[in-house]
Amino acid sequence: MMTLTRRLIALFLAIILLNGTTALACGPFTLEAIFVHTVHPVYPLKAFAGGRIGVVQPNYARSYLYVAYRYLSGSSFSPSEQTALADLWKERLDFSEDEDGNPYYWSRGWLEARKKVPGVKEVGDIEPYRPREKPNEFENYVNCNKDSFDTAVKVLADRTAEYRGNTAPLLVWVNAQDQVFTNCNSGNSIPDPLPAGVRLLGRGDRRYQNAAAHFYSTNFDEAQKRFEEIAADEKSPWHFVAAYMVARTLIRKASLGAPEQKQESLRTAESQLTKILADKKFAHHHASATRLANLVRLRLHPEERLHELARVLTAKKQNDNLKQDLWDYTTLLDQYVEGDDPNPPAFLKDDDLSDWLTTIQSGFPAAADRAMERWQTTHAETWLVAALSTLEFSHPKTAELIAQGLNVKPGSAAFASARFHAIRLLIETGKYDEARQVLDQILKNNRAQFDESSLNLLTSRRLLVA
């Protein structure tokens, strides 16, 4: 009777503990106690980025599981990469933005710079969003991005030095640039061409301002034509930038134009960017062109780009573009993986990372067989953790997997996950004494390898076998 009472009390405590597993995905602040995090790891997330992955939860968002995969594979992240990961999660969880990330702050530098020009008129704040009308709905998009305003500030400084105190042509340039930026939110305001007697530099600036005004006014065909003319003029100070803007115009046209021309516009943009990246004369613009080319591949060749990103994300070398690469990769993967689909697309098996992520998150019986197959083929701890995480106690390979899980060394990144799931399976198969012995050993000797959430998982199991 005493033994039964003790077991009932232990079970009651375990139920209380396990019922507190709710975790909010949108921030670290919550009004309820969280015992086990199931959507994201324990805060601070930078500790997770640094390798304290604990018991990996299949319900984690894929960006966290990617980090777990890297550590389970024996890789790590540099300090700058860990910061990039933490920044990505901060944006996704809190939706908070600093000045660089908030479009409403981007024009402030330009508005302050233009005030220094004698005789310039006061203008109000610049609205960077432009509404796009669609059938039965309206949506806004960022029309004038940060680079637009930063370029205007730089050119203003260059022209101030060039004109050496002659404010008349400088004021003409600023007024035209103000007119260009009125199109950020609405309208179709195009600066007038300058007369032939004006200096070549001034006329070159005006040609570019006119093309930019057409771009922001969504007159994409006209903007493309004008940028191409400027790109063909090697004497123009905007020769190189205009060639890049041809590609940007085509991409914007693909996003906002008629659906039937989308693919053609993207293919033409891809061809233009390939030429730019192959020409050493455009070296100054290669970084921007590369980012743009990656965006085009994302839209034009999504399956190929998914595998490219998977290879980049698993390469054992510094990745200065980690945040954007991981953002693009998880966004792409989301398009192909549905939570209620037991058969994800076969091409996801063509790279190990995508295969692992879709397997460990599957929740369907076939996932355990896939994980076992990959574990037996690779003997990689990534797949051992996947197999243990997806295995049901009735599986014919349960005893073998338990033994493998108990074999993982304490120094391994897989230790916490492997031990927890080995214990889970021991309990589910009725081997309470063995589970209790393993639990007591871990809680005595290996607590430091488990974060608070993982320790709560272990404690709940220990209560069940008390």
Side-chain angles (χ1 to χ4, degrees):
M1 182 66 182
M2 183 62 69
T3 300
L4 178 60
T5 302
R6 286 169 58 193
R7 285 192 178 276
L8 287 173
I9 292 172
L11 181 59
F12 174 72
L13 291 171
I15 290 171
I16 293 175
L17 189 60
L18 290 174
N19 276 345
T21 59
T22 303
L24 298 180
C26 57
F29 305 109
T30 174
L31 297 178
E32 58 184 295
I34 298 175
F35 294 107
V36 178
H37 289 264
T38 57
V39 178
H40 58 73
V42 172
Y43 294 103
L45 294 175
K46 197 161 185 179
F48 187 83
R52 197 161 188 257
I53 62 174
V55 177
V56 177
Q57 298 291 317
N59 288 333
Y60 282 169
R62 294 185 184 109
S63 58
Y64 304 117
L65 288 176
Y66 155 71
V67 171
Y69 175 92
R70 279 284 299 261
Y71 281 110
L72 293 171
S73 301
S75 297
S76 60
F77 296 95
S78 69
S80 63
E81 288 176 325
Q82 293 174 32
T83 299
L85 291 167
D87 287 345
L88 182 148
W89 295 329
K90 183 176 185 293
E91 287 186 30
R92 286 187 169 180
L93 290 173
D94 296 339
F95 301 100
S96 59
E97 295 175 321
D98 56 17
E99 292 192 9
D100 280 346
N102 188 335
Y104 287 104
Y105 287 103
W106 293 346
S107 62
R108 287 189 173 183
W110 160 249
L111 294 174
E112 288 300 316
R114 66 179 298 284
K115 287 179 182 178
K116 300 175 184 178
V117 179
V120 74
K121 294 180 180 179
E122 191 70 29
V123 295
D125 292 336
I126 298 174
E127 168 62 63
Y129 289 91
R130 187 177 177 107
R132 173 192 177 189
E133 188 173 350
K134 298 177 66 179
N136 303 319
E137 65 174 306
F138 289 86
E139 66 179 24
N140 292 337
Y141 63 94
V142 177
N143 192 23
C144 294
N145 61 22
K146 187 175 184 296
D147 287 346
S148 308
F149 299 110
D150 291 346
T151 298
V153 171
K154 182 181 183 304
V155 175
L156 177 56
D158 291 344
R159 297 301 177 263
T160 301
E162 179 74 27
Y163 293 132
R164 299 178 183 179
N166 185 0
T167 59
L170 194 61
L171 190 58
V172 168
W173 184 87
V174 171
N175 289 337
Q177 194 60 42
D178 286 337
Q179 191 175 352
V180 171
F181 285 144
T182 62
N183 298 298
C184 292
N185 176 247
S186 62
N188 185 23
S189 183
I190 313 298
D192 293 329
L194 290 175
V198 175
R199 284 181 59 183
L200 182 64
L201 178 63
R203 283 187 281 124
D205 285 348
R206 181 57 60 89
R207 288 177 70 197
Y208 185 83
Q209 287 173 323
N210 285 347
H214 281 291
F215 175 80
Y216 295 129
S217 301
T218 70
N219 303 323
F220 298 125
D221 289 338
E222 186 63 27
Q224 180 184 344
K225 174 188 171 184
R226 290 173 181 252
F227 283 132
E228 286 174 341
E229 290 172 352
I230 298 169
D233 181 3
E234 295 187 2
K235 294 181 180 179
S236 171
W238 298 94
H239 164 66
F240 293 107
V241 178
Y244 170 78
M245 285 302 299
V246 170
R248 275 200 63 198
T249 303
L250 287 161
I251 294 170
R252 185 68 67 87
K253 181 180 177 181
S255 299
L256 301 176
E260 59 270 17
Q261 56 74 47
K262 177 178 180 179
Q263 294 298 102
E264 180 184 352
S265 294
L266 288 173
R267 282 192 291 269
T268 308
E270 184 178 43
S271 176
Q272 176 73 2
L273 290 165
T274 300
K275 292 177 184 176
I276 291 173
L277 291 170
D279 192 338
K280 293 181 180 179
K281 294 178 183 178
F282 287 88
H284 182 69
H285 299 281
H286 279 180
S288 298
T290 297
R291 288 193 293 271
L292 215 54
N294 288 340
L295 174 62
V296 172
R297 289 190 61 76
L298 198 73
R299 297 179 181 178
L300 200 56
H301 314 288
E303 293 182 16
E304 293 177 22
R305 184 62 183 150
L306 181 80
H307 294 316
E308 284 178 4
L309 287 168
R311 287 192 294 272
V312 169
L313 290 169
T314 53
K316 295 183 179 181
K317 62 179 182 180
Q318 173 73 20
N319 184 354
D320 294 329
N321 200 42
L322 177 63
K323 178 181 175 181
Q324 189 62 54
D325 286 343
L326 182 55
W327 194 296
D328 290 347
Y329 173 77
T330 51
T331 300
L332 263 179
L333 193 58
D334 288 346
Q335 297 178 15
Y336 295 109
V337 181
E338 298 292 340
D340 57 354
D341 185 1
N343 299 305
F347 76 85
L348 293 176
K349 295 181 180 180
D350 292 344
D351 72 77
D352 197 69
L353 174 61
S354 302
D355 192 8
W356 187 83
L357 286 172
T358 52
T359 299
I360 200 170
Q361 285 198 315
S362 168
F364 293 97
D369 293 330
R370 176 61 181 171
M372 278 297 303
E373 175 191 339
R374 294 296 294 143
W375 155 245
Q376 291 172 334
T377 301
T378 66
H379 293 287
E381 290 190 339
T382 49
W383 286 105
L384 175 60
V385 169
L388 284 165
S389 300
T390 55
L391 208 68
E392 296 290 339
F393 73 92
S394 56
H395 196 281
K397 297 286 185 177
T398 296
E400 176 186 337
L401 260 291
I402 290 174
Q404 294 291 345
L406 295 175
N407 242 358
V408 175
K409 304 299 181 186
S412 168
F415 178 77
S417 296
R419 280 294 194 279
F420 169 74
H421 285 291
I423 291 164
R424 173 182 67 81
L425 291 169
L426 284 171
I427 294 172
E428 289 176 0
T429 52
K431 299 177 180 179
Y432 306 120
D433 291 339
E434 190 175 345
R436 185 165 50 248
Q437 182 180 357
V438 176
L439 276 163
D440 288 343
Q441 184 182 30
I442 290 174
L443 292 171
K444 178 181 178 182
N445 301 325
N446 307 106
R447 294 181 72 94
Q449 292 183 248
F450 294 82
D451 55 36
E452 293 87 345
S453 179
S454 301
L455 279 173
N456 284 337
L457 281 171
L458 292 178
T459 303
S460 69
R461 267 55 185 185
R462 184 61 183 86
L463 288 170
L464 287 173
V465 296

